[in-house]
Amino acid sequence: MDLRSGKRAVSEFGTITCDGPAAERSLGPLPVKVRTPDGEIIGVGVSGSPIGVPPGLYFVSVVTPDGRERSCGETVTVTAGADTISRTPAGRAPAPPRALAPAPVGAAAPEPASASALAPASASAPARIPHGQQLIREAVRIAAKQIYNRMTRGFVAAESVMADAPTPPPPAAPAPTTETVRLWQGNWFAAWDAVPGSRHPALEAGLGETFILSQDQPTQIARIADCDQLVAQPIGACVRYSVVPFDECTACVDDTPGTKDIAANLASGPAGSFVRFRSTVTEEANTLLSFVENGVLTEMWTVSEDMVNQGERAMLSPGGSVLRAVTGAYVLLRANELSGLDAWLTSLGRLSPALPDIPILRAELLARLGQHEDALALLQTAIGGRCPWFRSGLSYMLERVRLYIDVSANSEVDFAIARADLPQFIAARERLDTLMRMLVRSRTLTTFDVPAE
């Protein structure tokens, strides 16, 4: 895709097309960066596709599948209206990616890589785009190649180790391309509180009419205020309930308050078919969500940190979205990068008060900062609220409920649960214990496999 469709006149741009290294061409298009002589990134794209830039002198580099850059060697002069070819010389194979820092105690394990979870990246990006958007668009391409590289090359060594292993069973039958599902609506926590400890609460009453979920054609699901929504799909002896998130543009909430929805389609994985939710507001929200789902921690941490550091400007910039903002907050909390996160969550809660994950995220953040009285108040709001969109939110909530109940029972501290509120916390602990046993660990967004009656 050529970038000359931007606001500036076509005649003011030229293009650079990078011919990627021959040894890497079998992997498909690779990320390309175009820099000015002083090092400023002026454009990004992929090898084999033109990248629109103003006339001038540039350095061009290609990003290999492990995220390292290889220079194209010579400077490139771009003239208005002309296409310039830049060729990458052959080089040594890239070194493996650097190790990731360990996650904090209580953090969920990264999800297994899944090539099908990555949406196709655009071929190029406008010149002089904001720094945060640059990082996101570059990182998703790098992430895609890392995942592909792991899948196609990373198992070669394992093959020799497993040479004496039993012959694997034949592949399973192809997953269905459509399924009949229903939308559950109501108060999810209250449904489980009605019958404490039950594996079969009265969920049938909340189910609506059936509809078809397809792999190929997304279905739009509109948000209903003050209501939990979950897609219910039969999975063997269980019914899989997937919490429905929503998205809206944070820069235009006041102008278009009714535009809360999400796109849903059918997907498949090791734990069977599931519902994949994707934003229709911005692809950047989907990029971050894909990072989380595929365990590409380095890139999504960088992007999330940059986004939060920009503060309100990033939240209210074009392309800002509720789903993007809350996904980034979970990333930073997992990495224990807390600077600026409280202000970010406070602003997000003001822009989108219906977001159920906000009190959970803020309670966990304040607890880590030692502000337990404030954390306890937010936790009480969370356990009486809606079901969080993210699986980690449910885990944070249960661990904090357990901790504060234990502290209140065994010591005299300022932040102990009030005696009148203790039954509410104990009931919440029982409910969350039950739900955690049904949580689908392979899904990033909250998903339960509830045994059918």
Side-chain angles (χ1 to χ4, degrees):
M1 180 176 65
D2 198 327
L3 294 180
R4 291 176 288 182
S5 59
K7 294 182 179 179
R8 298 179 65 177
V10 172
S11 61
E12 296 183 32
F13 282 87
T15 66
I16 296 175
T17 300
C18 179
D19 186 5
E24 307 291 346
R25 287 175 192 163
S26 62
L27 297 180
L30 296 176
V32 172
K33 299 179 183 180
V34 181
R35 288 184 169 87
T36 62
D38 62 1
E40 178 188 3
I41 295 178
I42 195 71
V44 294
V46 293
S47 57
S49 297
I51 303 170
V53 294
L57 184 68
Y58 300 104
F59 293 97
V60 181
S61 61
V62 65
V63 182
T64 52
D66 67 342
R68 293 174 178 260
E69 290 187 54
R70 184 183 301 169
S71 172
C72 293
E74 299 179 354
T75 57
V76 177
T77 301
V78 176
T79 57
D83 186 35
T84 303
I85 304 297
S86 176
R87 289 183 169 82
T88 307
R92 298 178 60 185
R98 64 185 177 89
L100 299 172
V105 175
E111 306 292 351
S114 171
S116 63
L118 291 173
S122 61
S124 52
R128 297 188 185 280
I129 57 178
H131 180 56
Q133 294 183 29
Q134 274 185 348
L135 281 170
I136 294 172
R137 293 172 185 174
E138 292 173 58
V140 70
R141 298 185 182 99
I142 298 170
K145 291 306 170 187
Q146 286 180 326
I147 294 165
Y148 185 85
N149 196 43
R150 287 202 303 268
M151 293 180 68
T152 56
R153 297 182 178 182
F155 299 125
V156 173
E159 290 178 1
S160 61
V161 175
M162 299 178 63
D164 298 328
T167 303
T177 57
T178 61
E179 284 188 21
T180 300
V181 299
R182 300 170 77 177
L183 189 64
W184 190 94
Q185 297 176 348
N187 186 320
W188 183 253
F189 285 164
W192 293 84
D193 290 342
V195 187
S198 173
R199 293 172 58 87
H200 303 286
L203 300 176
E204 189 70 23
L207 292 171
E209 297 296 323
T210 61
F211 64 96
I212 301 297
L213 201 62
S214 167
Q215 285 190 6
D216 303 319
Q217 184 61 44
T219 298
Q220 291 296 119
I221 300 178
R223 179 69 175 175
I224 298 177
D226 301 322
C227 182
D228 288 318
Q229 294 170 268
L230 297 89
V231 174
Q233 57 177 146
I235 301 288
C238 297
V239 178
R240 177 162 292 179
Y241 289 87
S242 305
V243 175
V244 180
F246 69 84
D247 202 10
E248 62 181 331
C249 177
T250 54
C252 51
V253 172
D254 294 335
D255 297 332
T256 53
T259 57
K260 298 183 179 71
D261 58 16
I262 200 74
N265 68 289
L266 190 66
S268 59
S273 63
F274 61 90
V275 185
R276 174 178 291 125
F277 298 103
R278 287 296 182 265
S279 167
T280 58
V281 172
T282 172
E283 277 301 312
E284 293 179 3
N286 297 331
T287 295
L288 277 177
L289 192 54
S290 291
F291 286 164
V292 179
E293 291 173 334
N294 289 280
V296 187
L297 301 182
T298 304
E299 287 81 3
M300 67 181 183
W301 179 4
T302 301
V303 171
S304 302
E305 187 176 39
D306 180 80
M307 181 176 63
V308 171
N309 287 342
Q310 292 183 57
E312 291 284 347
R313 181 179 60 180
M315 192 178 295
L316 299 178
S317 65
S321 78
V322 167
L323 186 59
R324 173 192 171 201
V326 71
T327 304
Y330 271 106
V331 170
L332 292 178
L333 194 59
R334 171 171 178 174
N336 210 33
E337 291 293 316
L338 310 182
S339 178
L341 192 53
D342 191 25
W344 177 263
L345 291 172
T346 300
S347 298
L348 181 58
R350 184 174 64 252
L351 287 168
S352 185
L355 185 58
D357 298 66
I358 292 295
I360 300 170
L361 285 165
R362 290 201 66 231
E364 179 64 20
L365 170 65
L366 294 176
R368 294 189 191 184
L369 295 174
Q371 301 176 33
H372 293 287
E373 289 185 73
D374 294 334
L376 188 55
L378 283 166
L379 186 62
Q380 188 168 13
T381 299
I383 63 176
R386 302 298 177 191
C387 187
W389 296 350
F390 284 77
R391 184 194 69 207
S392 295
L394 206 70
S395 299
Y396 289 141
M397 184 160 43
L398 175 57
E399 290 307 312
R400 288 297 165 186
V401 166
R402 285 173 174 168
L403 175 63
Y404 288 136
I405 289 176
D406 290 344
V407 167
S408 300
N410 296 302
S411 62
E412 294 293 330
V413 292
D414 294 337
F415 55 88
I417 300 171
R419 186 178 299 274
D421 297 329
L422 193 57
Q424 180 190 7
F425 278 83
I426 292 174
R429 181 184 61 187
E430 294 175 357
R431 168 231 293 164
L432 292 170
D433 275 331
T434 299
L435 288 173
M436 288 296 287
R437 291 194 293 270
M438 301 177 188
L439 201 60
V440 181
R441 305 287 175 171
S442 62
R443 303 303 313 141
T444 296
L445 294 174
T446 308
T447 306
F448 305 99
D449 278 355
V450 180
E453 294 188 31

